[in-house]
Amino acid sequence: MLKTLAVAPILAMALVATTPDLALALARPPLKLVEVPKAAGPAVSLFNGKDLTDWNAWLGYRDPGLTYKDPPVAPIGATAESAEIFKVVQEDGRPALYVNGKTWGSLVHKGDFRDYHLRLQYKWGKGRWAPRETQAPNNGLLYHSHGAPGAVFGTWSRSMEFEIMLGSVGMVVRVGDPVSATVKAVDDPSLIEPKLRFSPTGRDVAVVTPNWNVEAASDAEKPLGQWNTLDLYVLGDRAIHVVNGVPVMEVRDIRAEGQPLTHGAIQLQSEGAETFFRDIALEPITALPKIVGN
């Protein structure tokens, strides 16, 4: 939902001179994941490669400009139109879950999960739709999803987001006003508001308005057209986001309406860009891995 601004070398040098915490974080090598937990039970596949019978689709608005309208207007909702936005296709010789992106919406798995390691692969398609034609392609892996479909801007369920956006994969975003979390972060003037980037050595930041997101520690995404692997580790009200083996975010104290949020559904967004997903599976865990390095 955000776009990181490019920083010219001269400006980057100026930032280093004026933001020592950020300079220290950027100067160190990428973070590492250690003490990765073993599965505490059998893996569960969330995508059968044949159809979407295990998922519920919901569509927002044909005109994405209505998404943030106040007062809101009635969304499309659960209709047959979703069959063109979310469907199973063959991509690179294998079944994939295709998200068109033209109409914004959500695909919510029917399961309710807690304490797991979720892994999936995604890659971008070529399609870009308003208003993303000139913006970074955007999608999202939402977890601890709960409540009514379309409760957030008529389009998504309340949840915590593992952002999938070019340049910002792994960023944390709160989806819905009752949802909040705590993240360690440093100031990064190269970003748009709220100008915060995750760092294990940063200060505690509450992910609530106006700090509705915190940028990932680094950009670990592969070049366009390649498959990327995301790992999401969730234990109770804590989570770790990993992109292609690189940990980029640690979230704790996930809450909804002031109460710990410890479980919920898995939700995939449609938000303006074609995206393919495959190999979506989770396994139970009883401990979180640790992030070291920064």
Side-chain angles (χ1 to χ4, degrees):
M1 295 183 182
L2 284 177
K3 180 173 174 60
T4 303
L5 303 179
V7 182
I10 295 177
L11 176 57
M13 291 175 64
L15 294 177
V16 167
T18 58
T19 57
D21 290 341
L22 175 64
L24 183 60
L26 295 178
R28 292 174 175 171
L31 302 172
K32 294 182 179 180
L33 201 66
V34 299
E35 299 182 24
V36 177
K38 294 182 179 180
V44 176
S45 177
L46 304 190
F47 174 50
N48 64 20
K50 300 176 182 179
D51 54 43
L52 299 178
T53 56
D54 295 329
W55 301 76
N56 290 320
W58 180 273
L59 298 181
Y61 307 97
R62 294 179 184 86
D63 175 7
L66 296 177
T67 304
Y68 309 110
K69 185 176 178 63
D70 189 17
V73 298
I76 298 170
T79 74
E81 291 185 42
S82 65
E84 290 304 310
I85 304 301
F86 305 106
K87 57 186 175 181
V88 178
V89 300
Q90 291 290 316
E91 181 69 12
D92 294 336
R94 294 181 53 194
L97 195 164
Y98 170 75
V99 177
N100 178 276
K102 187 172 184 179
T103 302
W104 290 14
S106 58
L107 190 65
V108 184
H109 194 272
K110 296 177 182 178
D112 188 308
F113 304 106
R114 67 172 68 234
D115 301 343
Y116 57 81
H117 165 210
L118 171 69
R119 171 171 286 184
L120 63 74
Q121 290 191 321
Y122 81 91
K123 78 166 188 176
W124 299 111
K126 295 181 179 179
R128 303 286 185 272
W129 316 104
R132 304 297 187 197
E133 302 102 323
T134 59
Q135 301 176 11
N138 196 329
N139 207 309
L141 164 62
L142 283 58
Y143 56 98
H144 286 353
S145 300
H146 62 283
V152 182
F153 302 126
T155 307
W156 303 290
S157 298
R158 294 186 177 99
S159 52
M160 190 60 63
E161 181 174 0
F162 185 137
E163 180 70 89
I164 303 175
M165 183 172 72
L166 191 68
S168 296
V169 180
M171 177 171 68
V172 66
V173 181
R174 60 190 291 268
V175 181
D177 283 338
V179 180
S180 64
T182 302
V183 172
K184 286 191 174 296
V186 293
D187 297 313
D188 185 344
S190 72
L191 303 173
I192 62 175
E193 294 295 339
K195 303 182 184 296
L196 295 169
R197 184 180 296 277
F198 168 68
S199 172
T201 59
R203 68 185 186 280
D204 281 351
V205 171
V207 186
V208 295
T209 303
N211 299 331
W212 58 277
N213 73 86
V214 174
E215 180 62 90
S218 61
D219 180 5
E221 190 177 23
K222 294 180 180 179
L224 284 171
Q226 296 187 25
W227 288 95
N228 295 269
T229 298
L230 303 185
D231 289 283
L232 169 64
Y233 294 89
V234 176
L235 191 71
D237 61 355
R238 297 176 291 158
I240 290 177
H241 302 181
V242 182
V243 180
N244 294 317
V246 180
V248 297
M249 177 65 60
E250 184 170 9
V251 187
R252 69 182 198 278
D253 301 327
I254 302 171
R255 292 179 173 267
E257 297 179 342
Q259 299 300 313
L261 184 58
T262 60
H263 64 95
I266 302 299
Q267 182 178 182
L268 299 175
Q269 286 183 317
S270 173
E271 198 178 344
E274 283 188 329
T275 317
F276 299 92
F277 295 91
R278 70 184 186 189
D279 298 340
I280 310 171
L282 60 77
E283 56 190 21
I285 56 174
T286 58
L288 284 179
K290 294 182 180 179
I291 296 177
V292 298
N294 231 351

